[in-house]
Amino acid sequence: MIDPDYAARHLGGVWKMAWNAPGWEDSLDRSVDGVFKSFWAAALTAPIAIAGFISGERAASRIPDLAGPGGAETPLGLSIAAEAVAFIAVWSVQLAALVLSARAAGRTRRIADIIIGFNWMQVYVSLAQSAPFIVLGLTLKREFAGFVALPALAFIVALYWGVLRRSLGVGAASTLAVFALLLLLELVTTSLISAGALALYRLFG
């Protein structure tokens, strides 16, 4: 278990890491214990992701011709379950890919930085990803959500770029390759889980 001060310190440390602010290394607990504690970031990230997902589904049920994040066919309960599975699966697959990439590149000493940075970064990523859906769910105005979506996407890309580059300690080309790999893994994983949820619903629903 972690306390709020510990979480705030590491969120601040990852923020510094992303923007290459001086002293980010000293802001993070880079020990083995710190690596395991970084997985508590999921407890902060999950409620944000669920709030964004439900907001998107709420908007889809009220705005004509708008498909929610869970798809048009599956019921809300199954969509939430599929979203939870995808949330865990994408996080696990991407983190495993980062660790394996670091080992393949001979950067095993940076694995602690990679895991800690990636895990705590997800809180910010989830906030940015959920923001357009929350705005859409509250206002039911596509233009308001669109106004938020573009800056949110730019923020996520910049955040990933900074954290990956600093934690891996690689140049721009390698960072771009790793980022592309993570994006591909997310698309494939979420597509497979969504297709599986839909198939189950058609089979047993």
Side-chain angles (χ1 to χ4, degrees), residues 47-65:
I48 301 169
I50 291 172
F53 184 84
I54 293 176
S55 296
E57 291 292 325
R58 174 184 180 274
S61 68
R62 290 165 172 79
I63 300 176
D65 303 322

Side-chain angles (χ1 to χ4, degrees), residues 4-175:
D5 288 341
Y6 185 92
R9 170 190 160 194
H10 284 77
L11 287 172
V14 168
W15 184 267
K16 291 179 180 178
M17 176 193 283
W19 313 118
N20 201 23
W24 66 262
E25 298 97 332
D26 299 328
S27 301
L28 301 175
D29 178 5
R30 300 156 76 193
S31 65
V32 174
D33 189 50
V35 169
F36 284 106
K37 284 183 176 179
S38 71
F39 287 95
W40 280 102
L44 301 177
T45 306
I48 301 169
I50 291 172
F53 184 84
I54 293 176
S55 296
E57 291 292 325
R58 174 184 180 274
S61 68
R62 290 165 172 79
I63 300 176
D65 303 322
L66 177 66
E73 294 187 49
T74 53
L76 181 60
L78 181 58
S79 295
I80 293 175
E83 176 71 8
V85 173
F87 173 83
I88 296 169
V90 169
W91 193 318
S92 302
V93 168
Q94 288 186 329
L95 188 56
L98 282 175
V99 171
L100 291 175
S101 296
R103 287 181 175 175
R107 297 184 176 274
T108 53
R109 291 186 178 182
R110 290 187 172 269
I111 287 178
D113 289 348
I114 292 166
I115 295 173
I116 293 168
F118 181 83
N119 284 347
W120 286 110
M121 176 184 68
Q122 297 310 310
V123 179
Y124 294 117
V125 172
S126 186
L127 280 168
Q129 287 177 334
S130 299
F133 292 110
I134 292 173
V135 170
L136 184 62
L138 290 173
T139 65
L140 301 180
K141 299 289 186 181
R142 298 189 192 194
E143 56 270 25
F144 290 168
F147 182 76
V148 175
L150 188 57
L153 178 60
F155 172 75
I156 291 171
V157 172
L159 192 69
Y160 263 95
W161 182 268
V163 170
L164 290 176
R165 189 161 189 183
R166 244 68 71 190
S167 62
L168 288 166
V170 295
S174 297
T175 302

